[in-house]
Amino acid sequence: DAGVTQSPTHLIKTRGQQVTLRCSPISGHKSVSWYQQVLGQGPQFIFQYYEKEERGRGNFPDRFSARQFPNYSSELNVNALLLGDSALYLCASTRGGYTGELFFGEGSRLTVL
Amino acid sequence: SQQGEEDPQALSIQEGENATMNCSYKTSINNLQWYRQNSGRGLVHLILIRSNEREKHSGRLRVTLDTSKKSSSLLITASRAADTASYFCATDAINNAGNMLTFGGGTRLMVKP
């Protein structure tokens, strides 16, 4: 079975641009979470979606938004990019909405110039 | 901000030695999890210990949890060069937002052959 897949794996943007990152969960998993990991730090929670509804939001500005589609895949959008948005963006899926083991994708590495 | 702090931030040992990493956290939790990350790639779940458990084993891994001290430790016995990675503790806090885990800053482990 395929694991969590994320695209693109790497991308470079300039300040002020917008970016969309995509995530496909493990088959049968209905919950997707997004995390931001700045170099040298641990991941920080951005959003969780379960059954297409937002279940949790971390301490991130409104420039960050996300959605989940009927097939449970998800997109993370970041508008008006800042240099500080440069990070590894990780998607994780779980079968249900509870907080057990998270299954992570390999991440999308965003560089903002 | 991150709830947990890991100690040490970096650890270098010889193959065959044991590696111990510590994690402290701030709030009451449902469970605490340990994850491994190779070179900025996706995180891999290692072990989950619930708040009513004190010790758990999985292969060469041993995790302890002391809720009175709000601390946990991860012991890797008979380490191998392949264990070289960053290790993160993550807490599922009571009354958290959705499927949110709060990660520590990580311990970078290097195992020399």
Side-chain angles (χ1 to χ4, degrees), chain A residues 30-47:
Chain A
K30 298 182 178 180
S31 174
V32 170
S33 301
W34 288 95
Y35 287 78
Q36 179 197 64
Q37 186 179 23
V38 173
L39 192 63
Q41 297 182 17
Q44 289 205 5
F45 175 77
I46 310 175
F47 287 110

Side-chain angles (χ1 to χ4, degrees), chain B residues 22-36:
Chain B
N22 302 297
C23 167
S24 61
Y25 58 92
K26 299 174 184 175
T27 63
S28 297
I29 61 172
N30 294 311
N31 66 65
L32 183 144
Q33 303 177 38
W34 286 89
Y35 287 81
R36 166 191 167 130

